[in-house]
Amino acid sequence: AEHQHARYNPLRDDWVLVSAHRVKRPWQGQLEKPPPEDVPRWDPNNPLCPGATRANGEVNPQYEGTFVFPNDFPALQPDAPEPGDSDHPLFRVAAARGVCKVMCFHPWSDLTLPLMSLEEIRAVIDAWAELATELGASYPWVQIFENKGAMMGCSNPHPHCQVWASSFLPNEACLEDRTQRQHRSQHGVPMLVEYAEQEARRKERLVVENADWLVVVPYWATWPYQTLLLPRRHVCRLQDLREGERDSLASIMQRLLIKYDNLFEVSFPYSMGWHGAPTGPYLEEDCGHWQLHAHYYPPLLRSATVRKFMVGYEMLAQAQRDLTPEQAAERLRSLPELHYKRRDK
């Protein structure tokens, strides 16, 4: 808790430097602007709102729940041509095809997931599972991710996420596939199933838990308040969750995200995403080494205006953090589960 040391991340097969003694240093770096608190519930100029006109001229329906539509500026397209052949092994190229979708969680722009009801969050989970099934029928990888807040590149203040399906396994998927496969081969049990059991017993990095799920600040966390959401049961894919597990997932997501917002009493920015067993042709293969999980990567470090930057040593050597995962977990764990905006009510 007080001296520098390195911790191994078995999921990524790399190390993070923990410099606990630096947490007391004064901050004289860049201060971020806190997110606006006066977001209008409906804005005709916000392309994610019901009835608004998007950049391609299409008008959104007057949706009342979740709403999914093709990304107007997709990073992946299904009909991209084959790239030309490479003339040297140092200049390799490969085909990349896919589809990109946007999913709105709710029609109101002034809501975020922690302020939505459990029924509304459950509807989001069901929509995620439906998209994972639909796109996973043909694509090897379906990446569901949410960038929350302008600090994380979210250009439209509206509760939403993105879903990209690709004809290839991305780097992180390939890495986690290799490490999880290797762990099960060597130890006879899926890595993250064993890890969840260990963290549930030790409790020092536990943030919230219920009968089906637990959230921890992982032992190898890089970001200050990074968390890992894990099922207790062995589940390979989001679409494999049982009805009760989807209900309890909605509950634990709400509890975690309320704690995030309560930490600095601000709409907490983060990038999050689901990782599960590959799909498409992999549906016919043994993917039992995989365990479904969600990563949450928030950038805030000391306050709503002070963030962690991945620069210098992190870019050129290896990841480094000051606050220990145990300290971060204790702080999150101690926060109330009533949202700060609703305390007076």
Side-chain angles (χ1 to χ4, degrees), residues 123-186:
V124 170
I125 293 166
D126 287 339
W128 281 343
E130 185 178 332
L131 277 172
T133 301
E134 173 193 336
L135 298 173
S138 53
Y139 286 101
W141 190 255
V142 180
Q143 184 59 66
I144 298 168
F145 65 97
E146 178 193 4
N147 293 327
K148 179 172 178 261
M151 195 181 294
M152 300 309 289
C154 180
S155 55
N156 295 301
H158 192 93
H160 72 286
C161 72
Q162 298 189 54
V163 184
W164 294 11
S166 61
S167 61
F168 56 91
L169 289 187
N171 294 341
E172 292 296 310
C174 287
L175 183 56
E176 289 195 3
D177 184 71
R178 176 177 65 81
T179 58
Q180 290 180 97
R181 186 185 300 274
Q182 186 177 35
H183 185 91
R184 190 182 68 159
S185 175
Q186 293 176 350

Short mmCIF file of all heavy atoms in Angstrom, two decimals, residues 123-186:
data_model
loop_
_atom_site.label_atom_id
_atom_site.label_comp_id
_atom_site.label_asym_id
_atom_site.label_seq_id
_atom_site.Cartn_x
_atom_site.Cartn_y
_atom_site.Cartn_z
N ALA A 123 -34.19 -3.75 -20.12
CA ALA A 123 -34.50 -3.67 -21.55
C ALA A 123 -33.24 -3.44 -22.38
O ALA A 123 -33.10 -3.97 -23.49
CB ALA A 123 -35.51 -2.55 -21.80
N VAL A 124 -32.30 -2.66 -21.85
CA VAL A 124 -31.02 -2.45 -22.52
C VAL A 124 -30.25 -3.76 -22.61
O VAL A 124 -29.71 -4.12 -23.67
CB VAL A 124 -30.19 -1.39 -21.77
CG1 VAL A 124 -28.76 -1.34 -22.31
CG2 VAL A 124 -30.84 -0.02 -21.88
N ILE A 125 -30.21 -4.52 -21.53
CA ILE A 125 -29.51 -5.81 -21.51
C ILE A 125 -30.11 -6.77 -22.52
O ILE A 125 -29.40 -7.45 -23.26
CB ILE A 125 -29.54 -6.40 -20.08
CG1 ILE A 125 -28.71 -5.53 -19.13
CG2 ILE A 125 -29.03 -7.84 -20.08
CD1 ILE A 125 -28.94 -5.83 -17.67
N ASP A 126 -31.44 -6.81 -22.59
CA ASP A 126 -32.11 -7.68 -23.56
C ASP A 126 -31.78 -7.26 -24.99
O ASP A 126 -31.57 -8.11 -25.87
CB ASP A 126 -33.62 -7.65 -23.35
CG ASP A 126 -34.06 -8.40 -22.10
OD1 ASP A 126 -33.28 -9.25 -21.62
OD2 ASP A 126 -35.16 -8.14 -21.60
N ALA A 127 -31.71 -5.95 -25.23
CA ALA A 127 -31.37 -5.47 -26.56
C ALA A 127 -29.92 -5.80 -26.90
O ALA A 127 -29.60 -6.15 -28.05
CB ALA A 127 -31.61 -3.96 -26.66
N TRP A 128 -29.03 -5.70 -25.92
CA TRP A 128 -27.63 -6.11 -26.14
C TRP A 128 -27.57 -7.58 -26.56
O TRP A 128 -26.88 -7.94 -27.52
CB TRP A 128 -26.83 -5.93 -24.85
CG TRP A 128 -26.39 -4.54 -24.55
CD1 TRP A 128 -26.33 -3.48 -25.42
CD2 TRP A 128 -25.92 -4.05 -23.29
NE1 TRP A 128 -25.86 -2.38 -24.77
CE2 TRP A 128 -25.59 -2.68 -23.48
CE3 TRP A 128 -25.74 -4.62 -22.04
CZ2 TRP A 128 -25.10 -1.89 -22.45
CZ3 TRP A 128 -25.23 -3.84 -21.00
CH2 TRP A 128 -24.92 -2.47 -21.20
N ALA A 129 -28.27 -8.43 -25.80
CA ALA A 129 -28.24 -9.86 -26.08
C ALA A 129 -28.82 -10.17 -27.46
O ALA A 129 -28.33 -11.03 -28.19
CB ALA A 129 -29.00 -10.62 -24.99
N GLU A 130 -29.87 -9.45 -27.82
CA GLU A 130 -30.50 -9.66 -29.12
C GLU A 130 -29.55 -9.28 -30.26
O GLU A 130 -29.42 -10.01 -31.25
CB GLU A 130 -31.78 -8.82 -29.20
CG GLU A 130 -32.59 -9.04 -30.47
CD GLU A 130 -33.88 -8.23 -30.47
OE1 GLU A 130 -34.42 -7.96 -29.37
OE2 GLU A 130 -34.35 -7.87 -31.57
N LEU A 131 -28.86 -8.16 -30.10
CA LEU A 131 -27.89 -7.74 -31.12
C LEU A 131 -26.71 -8.70 -31.19
O LEU A 131 -26.21 -9.02 -32.28
CB LEU A 131 -27.39 -6.33 -30.83
CG LEU A 131 -28.27 -5.17 -31.30
CD1 LEU A 131 -27.75 -3.86 -30.76
CD2 LEU A 131 -28.37 -5.14 -32.81
N ALA A 132 -26.25 -9.17 -30.02
CA ALA A 132 -25.13 -10.12 -29.99
C ALA A 132 -25.50 -11.40 -30.72
O ALA A 132 -24.68 -12.00 -31.43
CB ALA A 132 -24.74 -10.41 -28.55
N THR A 133 -26.74 -11.84 -30.57
CA THR A 133 -27.21 -13.05 -31.25
C THR A 133 -27.35 -12.81 -32.75
O THR A 133 -26.89 -13.61 -33.57
CB THR A 133 -28.56 -13.50 -30.67
OG1 THR A 133 -28.41 -13.76 -29.28
CG2 THR A 133 -29.05 -14.75 -31.37
N GLU A 134 -27.98 -11.70 -33.10
CA GLU A 134 -28.24 -11.39 -34.51
C GLU A 134 -26.94 -11.22 -35.29
O GLU A 134 -26.72 -11.86 -36.32
CB GLU A 134 -29.08 -10.12 -34.59
CG GLU A 134 -29.28 -9.59 -36.01
CD GLU A 134 -29.85 -8.18 -36.02
OE1 GLU A 134 -30.50 -7.76 -35.03
OE2 GLU A 134 -29.61 -7.46 -37.03
N LEU A 135 -26.05 -10.36 -34.80
CA LEU A 135 -24.80 -10.09 -35.52
C LEU A 135 -23.82 -11.25 -35.36
O LEU A 135 -23.03 -11.53 -36.27
CB LEU A 135 -24.18 -8.79 -35.02
CG LEU A 135 -25.03 -7.54 -35.23
CD1 LEU A 135 -24.40 -6.33 -34.56
CD2 LEU A 135 -25.22 -7.27 -36.72
N GLY A 136 -23.86 -11.92 -34.22
CA GLY A 136 -22.95 -13.04 -33.97
C GLY A 136 -23.26 -14.27 -34.79
O GLY A 136 -22.45 -15.20 -34.84
N ALA A 137 -24.41 -14.31 -35.44
CA ALA A 137 -24.74 -15.45 -36.30
C ALA A 137 -23.78 -15.54 -37.48
O ALA A 137 -23.52 -16.63 -38.00
CB ALA A 137 -26.19 -15.33 -36.79
N SER A 138 -23.22 -14.39 -37.90
CA SER A 138 -22.33 -14.41 -39.06
C SER A 138 -20.97 -13.78 -38.79
O SER A 138 -20.00 -14.11 -39.48
CB SER A 138 -22.99 -13.69 -40.24
OG SER A 138 -23.44 -12.39 -39.86
N TYR A 139 -20.88 -12.88 -37.80
CA TYR A 139 -19.61 -12.20 -37.55
C TYR A 139 -18.87 -12.83 -36.37
O TYR A 139 -19.47 -13.14 -35.34
CB TYR A 139 -19.84 -10.71 -37.27
CG TYR A 139 -20.18 -9.91 -38.50
CD1 TYR A 139 -21.50 -9.55 -38.77
CD2 TYR A 139 -19.19 -9.55 -39.41
CE1 TYR A 139 -21.82 -8.81 -39.92
CE2 TYR A 139 -19.49 -8.82 -40.55
CZ TYR A 139 -20.81 -8.46 -40.80
OH TYR A 139 -21.11 -7.75 -41.93
N PRO A 140 -17.54 -13.00 -36.47
CA PRO A 140 -16.76 -13.62 -35.39
C PRO A 140 -16.72 -12.80 -34.10
O PRO A 140 -16.58 -13.36 -33.02
CB PRO A 140 -15.35 -13.75 -35.98
CG PRO A 140 -15.52 -13.64 -37.45
CD PRO A 140 -16.72 -12.77 -37.67
N TRP A 141 -16.82 -11.47 -34.21
CA TRP A 141 -16.71 -10.65 -33.01
C TRP A 141 -17.77 -9.56 -33.03
O TRP A 141 -17.95 -8.86 -34.03
CB TRP A 141 -15.33 -10.01 -32.89
CG TRP A 141 -15.09 -9.36 -31.56
CD1 TRP A 141 -15.10 -8.02 -31.28
CD2 TRP A 141 -14.85 -10.02 -30.31
NE1 TRP A 141 -14.86 -7.81 -29.94
CE2 TRP A 141 -14.70 -9.02 -29.32
CE3 TRP A 141 -14.73 -11.36 -29.94
CZ2 TRP A 141 -14.44 -9.32 -27.99
CZ3 TRP A 141 -14.47 -11.66 -28.61
CH2 TRP A 141 -14.33 -10.65 -27.66
N VAL A 142 -18.48 -9.43 -31.91
CA VAL A 142 -19.46 -8.36 -31.73
C VAL A 142 -19.05 -7.57 -30.50
O VAL A 142 -19.08 -8.09 -29.39
CB VAL A 142 -20.88 -8.93 -31.54
CG1 VAL A 142 -21.88 -7.78 -31.36
CG2 VAL A 142 -21.28 -9.80 -32.74
N GLN A 143 -18.64 -6.34 -30.72
CA GLN A 143 -18.15 -5.50 -29.61
C GLN A 143 -19.23 -4.50 -29.21
O GLN A 143 -19.54 -3.57 -29.96
CB GLN A 143 -16.86 -4.78 -29.98
CG GLN A 143 -16.26 -3.96 -28.84
CD GLN A 143 -15.94 -4.83 -27.64
OE1 GLN A 143 -15.07 -5.69 -27.71
NE2 GLN A 143 -16.65 -4.62 -26.54
N ILE A 144 -19.78 -4.69 -28.03
CA ILE A 144 -20.71 -3.74 -27.44
C ILE A 144 -19.90 -2.82 -26.54
O ILE A 144 -19.16 -3.30 -25.67
CB ILE A 144 -21.79 -4.47 -26.62
CG1 ILE A 144 -22.61 -5.39 -27.52
CG2 ILE A 144 -22.69 -3.48 -25.88
CD1 ILE A 144 -23.50 -6.37 -26.76
N PHE A 145 -20.01 -1.51 -26.73
CA PHE A 145 -19.25 -0.59 -25.88
C PHE A 145 -20.00 0.73 -25.72
O PHE A 145 -20.74 1.15 -26.60
CB PHE A 145 -17.84 -0.35 -26.43
CG PHE A 145 -17.79 0.36 -27.77
CD1 PHE A 145 -17.57 1.73 -27.84
CD2 PHE A 145 -17.95 -0.34 -28.96
CE1 PHE A 145 -17.50 2.39 -29.07
CE2 PHE A 145 -17.88 0.30 -30.19
CZ PHE A 145 -17.66 1.67 -30.24
N GLU A 146 -19.77 1.35 -24.57
CA GLU A 146 -20.36 2.66 -24.27
C GLU A 146 -19.26 3.64 -23.91
O GLU A 146 -18.45 3.37 -23.02
CB GLU A 146 -21.35 2.56 -23.10
CG GLU A 146 -21.96 3.91 -22.73
CD GLU A 146 -22.70 3.90 -21.39
OE1 GLU A 146 -22.69 2.87 -20.70
OE2 GLU A 146 -23.28 4.95 -21.04
N ASN A 147 -19.22 4.76 -24.60
CA ASN A 147 -18.36 5.88 -24.22
C ASN A 147 -19.26 6.91 -23.55
O ASN A 147 -20.12 7.51 -24.21
CB ASN A 147 -17.68 6.50 -25.44
CG ASN A 147 -16.68 5.57 -26.08
OD1 ASN A 147 -16.03 4.78 -25.40
ND2 ASN A 147 -16.54 5.64 -27.39
N LYS A 148 -19.09 7.11 -22.27
CA LYS A 148 -19.95 8.03 -21.52
C LYS A 148 -19.19 9.30 -21.20
O LYS A 148 -18.10 9.24 -20.63
CB LYS A 148 -20.44 7.36 -20.23
CG LYS A 148 -21.34 8.25 -19.37
CD LYS A 148 -21.93 7.46 -18.23
CE LYS A 148 -22.80 8.36 -17.34
NZ LYS A 148 -22.10 8.80 -16.14
N GLY A 149 -19.75 10.42 -21.60
CA GLY A 149 -19.16 11.71 -21.28
C GLY A 149 -18.26 12.24 -22.38
O GLY A 149 -17.60 11.49 -23.09
N ALA A 150 -18.23 13.57 -22.49
CA ALA A 150 -17.40 14.22 -23.50
C ALA A 150 -15.93 13.91 -23.32
O ALA A 150 -15.16 13.84 -24.27
CB ALA A 150 -17.63 15.73 -23.46
N MET A 151 -15.50 13.68 -22.05
CA MET A 151 -14.11 13.36 -21.77
C MET A 151 -13.67 12.06 -22.46
O MET A 151 -12.50 11.87 -22.76
CB MET A 151 -13.91 13.24 -20.26
CG MET A 151 -12.47 13.25 -19.80
SD MET A 151 -12.32 13.09 -18.00
CE MET A 151 -13.06 14.61 -17.44
N MET A 152 -14.64 11.18 -22.72
CA MET A 152 -14.34 9.91 -23.38
C MET A 152 -14.76 9.92 -24.85
O MET A 152 -14.92 8.87 -25.47
CB MET A 152 -15.04 8.76 -22.64
CG MET A 152 -14.61 8.62 -21.19
SD MET A 152 -12.81 8.58 -20.98
CE MET A 152 -12.42 6.98 -21.66
N GLY A 153 -14.96 11.11 -25.40
CA GLY A 153 -15.23 11.23 -26.83
C GLY A 153 -16.67 11.13 -27.23
O GLY A 153 -16.99 11.02 -28.41
N CYS A 154 -17.59 11.18 -26.26
CA CYS A 154 -19.01 11.12 -26.57
C CYS A 154 -19.48 12.49 -27.06
O CYS A 154 -19.47 13.45 -26.30
CB CYS A 154 -19.80 10.68 -25.34
SG CYS A 154 -21.57 10.56 -25.63
N SER A 155 -19.88 12.58 -28.31
CA SER A 155 -20.19 13.87 -28.91
C SER A 155 -21.64 14.29 -28.71
O SER A 155 -21.98 15.46 -28.90
CB SER A 155 -19.86 13.86 -30.41
OG SER A 155 -20.54 12.79 -31.05
N ASN A 156 -22.51 13.34 -28.35
CA ASN A 156 -23.93 13.66 -28.17
C ASN A 156 -24.39 13.29 -26.77
O ASN A 156 -24.32 12.12 -26.39
CB ASN A 156 -24.79 12.91 -29.20
CG ASN A 156 -24.49 13.34 -30.62
OD1 ASN A 156 -24.64 14.50 -30.97
ND2 ASN A 156 -24.07 12.40 -31.44
N PRO A 157 -24.84 14.28 -25.97
CA PRO A 157 -25.30 13.96 -24.62
C PRO A 157 -26.65 13.25 -24.64
O PRO A 157 -27.72 13.89 -24.60
CB PRO A 157 -25.39 15.34 -23.96
CG PRO A 157 -25.64 16.28 -25.09
CD PRO A 157 -24.94 15.71 -26.28
N HIS A 158 -26.60 11.96 -24.74
CA HIS A 158 -27.81 11.14 -24.79
C HIS A 158 -27.40 9.73 -24.39
O HIS A 158 -26.32 9.27 -24.79
CB HIS A 158 -28.38 11.15 -26.21
CG HIS A 158 -29.78 10.58 -26.30
ND1 HIS A 158 -30.91 11.35 -26.21
CD2 HIS A 158 -30.21 9.31 -26.46
CE1 HIS A 158 -31.98 10.59 -26.31
NE2 HIS A 158 -31.57 9.33 -26.46
N PRO A 159 -28.19 9.01 -23.60
CA PRO A 159 -27.78 7.67 -23.19
C PRO A 159 -27.77 6.69 -24.36
O PRO A 159 -28.82 6.36 -24.91
CB PRO A 159 -28.85 7.30 -22.14
CG PRO A 159 -30.04 8.13 -22.50
CD PRO A 159 -29.50 9.42 -23.03
N HIS A 160 -26.58 6.23 -24.71
CA HIS A 160 -26.48 5.34 -25.87
C HIS A 160 -25.16 4.59 -25.84
O HIS A 160 -24.25 4.91 -25.07
CB HIS A 160 -26.60 6.13 -27.18
CG HIS A 160 -25.40 6.98 -27.49
ND1 HIS A 160 -25.11 8.16 -26.83
CD2 HIS A 160 -24.40 6.82 -28.41
CE1 HIS A 160 -24.01 8.69 -27.32
NE2 HIS A 160 -23.54 7.90 -28.28
N CYS A 161 -25.07 3.58 -26.68
CA CYS A 161 -23.83 2.83 -26.85
C CYS A 161 -23.66 2.52 -28.34
O CYS A 161 -24.50 2.88 -29.16
CB CYS A 161 -23.85 1.53 -26.04
SG CYS A 161 -24.95 0.25 -26.70
N GLN A 162 -22.57 1.83 -28.65
CA GLN A 162 -22.33 1.39 -30.01
C GLN A 162 -22.09 -0.12 -30.04
O GLN A 162 -21.65 -0.70 -29.05
CB GLN A 162 -21.12 2.12 -30.61
CG GLN A 162 -21.30 3.62 -30.70
CD GLN A 162 -20.18 4.29 -31.48
OE1 GLN A 162 -19.90 3.93 -32.62
NE2 GLN A 162 -19.54 5.27 -30.87
N VAL A 163 -22.38 -0.71 -31.18
CA VAL A 163 -22.16 -2.14 -31.38
C VAL A 163 -21.49 -2.31 -32.74
O VAL A 163 -22.09 -1.98 -33.77
CB VAL A 163 -23.48 -2.94 -31.33
CG1 VAL A 163 -23.20 -4.43 -31.46
CG2 VAL A 163 -24.25 -2.65 -30.05
N TRP A 164 -20.25 -2.79 -32.72
CA TRP A 164 -19.50 -3.03 -33.95
C TRP A 164 -19.30 -4.54 -34.11
O TRP A 164 -18.78 -5.19 -33.20
CB TRP A 164 -18.13 -2.36 -33.92
CG TRP A 164 -18.16 -0.85 -33.89
CD1 TRP A 164 -19.24 -0.04 -33.70
CD2 TRP A 164 -17.04 0.02 -34.07
NE1 TRP A 164 -18.87 1.28 -33.72
CE2 TRP A 164 -17.51 1.35 -33.96
CE3 TRP A 164 -15.68 -0.19 -34.29
CZ2 TRP A 164 -16.67 2.45 -34.08
CZ3 TRP A 164 -14.84 0.92 -34.41
CH2 TRP A 164 -15.34 2.23 -34.31
N ALA A 165 -19.69 -5.05 -35.25
CA ALA A 165 -19.44 -6.46 -35.56
C ALA A 165 -18.40 -6.52 -36.67
O ALA A 165 -18.50 -5.79 -37.66
CB ALA A 165 -20.73 -7.14 -36.01
N SER A 166 -17.40 -7.38 -36.51
CA SER A 166 -16.28 -7.41 -37.45
C SER A 166 -16.04 -8.81 -38.00
O SER A 166 -16.35 -9.82 -37.35
CB SER A 166 -15.00 -6.89 -36.79
OG SER A 166 -14.64 -7.70 -35.69
N SER A 167 -15.46 -8.85 -39.18
CA SER A 167 -15.13 -10.11 -39.85
C SER A 167 -13.85 -10.73 -39.31
O SER A 167 -13.42 -11.77 -39.80
CB SER A 167 -14.97 -9.86 -41.37
OG SER A 167 -13.91 -8.94 -41.60
N PHE A 168 -13.27 -10.11 -38.32
CA PHE A 168 -11.99 -10.56 -37.75
C PHE A 168 -12.07 -10.44 -36.23
O PHE A 168 -12.92 -9.72 -35.70
CB PHE A 168 -10.84 -9.71 -38.28
CG PHE A 168 -11.04 -8.23 -38.04
CD1 PHE A 168 -10.56 -7.62 -36.89
CD2 PHE A 168 -11.74 -7.45 -38.97
CE1 PHE A 168 -10.77 -6.26 -36.66
CE2 PHE A 168 -11.95 -6.09 -38.74
CZ PHE A 168 -11.46 -5.50 -37.59
N LEU A 169 -11.16 -11.11 -35.53
CA LEU A 169 -11.04 -10.95 -34.09
C LEU A 169 -10.10 -9.77 -33.82
O LEU A 169 -8.93 -9.82 -34.23
CB LEU A 169 -10.48 -12.21 -33.43
CG LEU A 169 -11.39 -13.44 -33.36
CD1 LEU A 169 -10.72 -14.52 -32.51
CD2 LEU A 169 -12.75 -13.09 -32.77
N PRO A 170 -10.55 -8.72 -33.13
CA PRO A 170 -9.67 -7.59 -32.82
C PRO A 170 -8.54 -8.01 -31.88
O PRO A 170 -8.56 -9.10 -31.30
CB PRO A 170 -10.60 -6.58 -32.16
CG PRO A 170 -11.99 -7.02 -32.51
CD PRO A 170 -11.93 -8.50 -32.67
N ASN A 171 -7.59 -7.11 -31.71
CA ASN A 171 -6.40 -7.42 -30.90
C ASN A 171 -6.73 -7.87 -29.49
O ASN A 171 -6.18 -8.86 -28.99
CB ASN A 171 -5.48 -6.19 -30.83
CG ASN A 171 -4.89 -5.82 -32.18
OD1 ASN A 171 -4.86 -6.62 -33.09
ND2 ASN A 171 -4.43 -4.59 -32.29
N GLU A 172 -7.61 -7.14 -28.79
CA GLU A 172 -7.93 -7.49 -27.41
C GLU A 172 -8.62 -8.84 -27.33
O GLU A 172 -8.39 -9.62 -26.40
CB GLU A 172 -8.80 -6.40 -26.77
CG GLU A 172 -8.10 -5.08 -26.54
CD GLU A 172 -6.95 -5.19 -25.55
OE1 GLU A 172 -7.14 -5.74 -24.45
OE2 GLU A 172 -5.83 -4.73 -25.88
N ALA A 173 -9.46 -9.13 -28.30
CA ALA A 173 -10.14 -10.43 -28.33
C ALA A 173 -9.15 -11.56 -28.54
O ALA A 173 -9.22 -12.60 -27.88
CB ALA A 173 -11.21 -10.44 -29.43
N CYS A 174 -8.21 -11.37 -29.46
CA CYS A 174 -7.18 -12.39 -29.71
C CYS A 174 -6.33 -12.62 -28.47
O CYS A 174 -6.01 -13.77 -28.12
CB CYS A 174 -6.28 -11.97 -30.87
SG CYS A 174 -7.06 -12.08 -32.49
N LEU A 175 -5.98 -11.54 -27.79
CA LEU A 175 -5.14 -11.64 -26.60
C LEU A 175 -5.87 -12.39 -25.48
O LEU A 175 -5.33 -13.31 -24.88
CB LEU A 175 -4.75 -10.23 -26.14
CG LEU A 175 -3.81 -10.12 -24.94
CD1 LEU A 175 -2.53 -10.90 -25.18
CD2 LEU A 175 -3.50 -8.65 -24.68
N GLU A 176 -7.12 -11.99 -25.21
CA GLU A 176 -7.87 -12.66 -24.15
C GLU A 176 -8.20 -14.11 -24.51
O GLU A 176 -8.28 -14.96 -23.63
CB GLU A 176 -9.15 -11.88 -23.84
CG GLU A 176 -8.90 -10.55 -23.14
CD GLU A 176 -10.15 -9.95 -22.53
OE1 GLU A 176 -11.23 -10.60 -22.59
OE2 GLU A 176 -10.06 -8.84 -21.96
N ASP A 177 -8.39 -14.38 -25.77
CA ASP A 177 -8.63 -15.77 -26.19
C ASP A 177 -7.41 -16.62 -25.88
O ASP A 177 -7.52 -17.73 -25.34
CB ASP A 177 -8.95 -15.82 -27.69
CG ASP A 177 -9.29 -17.22 -28.14
OD1 ASP A 177 -10.37 -17.74 -27.80
OD2 ASP A 177 -8.46 -17.82 -28.88
N ARG A 178 -6.22 -16.09 -26.19
CA ARG A 178 -4.99 -16.84 -25.95
C ARG A 178 -4.74 -17.07 -24.47
O ARG A 178 -4.44 -18.19 -24.04
CB ARG A 178 -3.80 -16.11 -26.57
CG ARG A 178 -2.45 -16.77 -26.29
CD ARG A 178 -1.30 -16.07 -26.98
NE ARG A 178 -1.07 -14.72 -26.53
CZ ARG A 178 -0.40 -14.39 -25.42
NH1 ARG A 178 0.06 -15.35 -24.61
NH2 ARG A 178 -0.21 -13.13 -25.09
N THR A 179 -4.87 -16.02 -23.66
CA THR A 179 -4.55 -16.16 -22.24
C THR A 179 -5.56 -17.04 -21.52
O THR A 179 -5.18 -17.86 -20.67
CB THR A 179 -4.48 -14.79 -21.56
OG1 THR A 179 -5.73 -14.10 -21.73
CG2 THR A 179 -3.34 -13.94 -22.13
N GLN A 180 -6.83 -16.91 -21.86
CA GLN A 180 -7.84 -17.75 -21.21
C GLN A 180 -7.73 -19.21 -21.63
O GLN A 180 -7.92 -20.12 -20.82
CB GLN A 180 -9.24 -17.22 -21.51
CG GLN A 180 -9.55 -15.89 -20.82
CD GLN A 180 -10.93 -15.39 -21.12
OE1 GLN A 180 -11.86 -15.60 -20.36
NE2 GLN A 180 -11.09 -14.73 -22.27
N ARG A 181 -7.42 -19.42 -22.90
CA ARG A 181 -7.23 -20.79 -23.39
C ARG A 181 -6.04 -21.45 -22.69
O ARG A 181 -6.09 -22.60 -22.26
CB ARG A 181 -7.02 -20.79 -24.91
CG ARG A 181 -6.95 -22.18 -25.53
CD ARG A 181 -6.61 -22.08 -27.01
NE ARG A 181 -7.59 -21.31 -27.75
CZ ARG A 181 -8.71 -21.83 -28.26
NH1 ARG A 181 -8.97 -23.12 -28.09
NH2 ARG A 181 -9.55 -21.07 -28.94
N GLN A 182 -4.97 -20.69 -22.56
CA GLN A 182 -3.76 -21.21 -21.92
C GLN A 182 -4.01 -21.52 -20.44
O GLN A 182 -3.56 -22.55 -19.93
CB GLN A 182 -2.62 -20.19 -22.06
CG GLN A 182 -1.28 -20.66 -21.56
CD GLN A 182 -0.18 -19.63 -21.80
OE1 GLN A 182 -0.41 -18.43 -21.74
NE2 GLN A 182 1.01 -20.11 -22.10
N HIS A 183 -4.75 -20.65 -19.76
CA HIS A 183 -5.02 -20.87 -18.34
C HIS A 183 -5.84 -22.14 -18.13
O HIS A 183 -5.52 -22.95 -17.24
CB HIS A 183 -5.76 -19.68 -17.74
CG HIS A 183 -5.98 -19.78 -16.26
ND1 HIS A 183 -5.09 -19.27 -15.35
CD2 HIS A 183 -6.96 -20.36 -15.53
CE1 HIS A 183 -5.52 -19.51 -14.13
NE2 HIS A 183 -6.65 -20.17 -14.21
N ARG A 184 -6.89 -22.33 -18.94
CA ARG A 184 -7.70 -23.53 -18.75
C ARG A 184 -6.90 -24.78 -19.07
O ARG A 184 -7.05 -25.81 -18.41
CB ARG A 184 -8.97 -23.49 -19.59
CG ARG A 184 -9.94 -24.62 -19.22
CD ARG A 184 -11.19 -24.64 -20.04
NE ARG A 184 -10.95 -25.00 -21.43
CZ ARG A 184 -11.88 -25.47 -22.26
NH1 ARG A 184 -13.13 -25.62 -21.82
NH2 ARG A 184 -11.61 -25.75 -23.51
N SER A 185 -6.03 -24.68 -20.08
CA SER A 185 -5.21 -25.83 -20.44
C SER A 185 -4.27 -26.21 -19.30
O SER A 185 -4.05 -27.40 -19.02
CB SER A 185 -4.41 -25.53 -21.70
OG SER A 185 -3.52 -26.57 -22.01
N GLN A 186 -3.73 -25.22 -18.61
CA GLN A 186 -2.76 -25.47 -17.54
C GLN A 186 -3.40 -25.77 -16.19
O GLN A 186 -2.85 -26.53 -15.39
CB GLN A 186 -1.83 -24.26 -17.40
CG GLN A 186 -0.91 -24.04 -18.60
CD GLN A 186 -0.07 -22.79 -18.46
OE1 GLN A 186 -0.29 -21.97 -17.57
NE2 GLN A 186 0.90 -22.60 -19.35
#
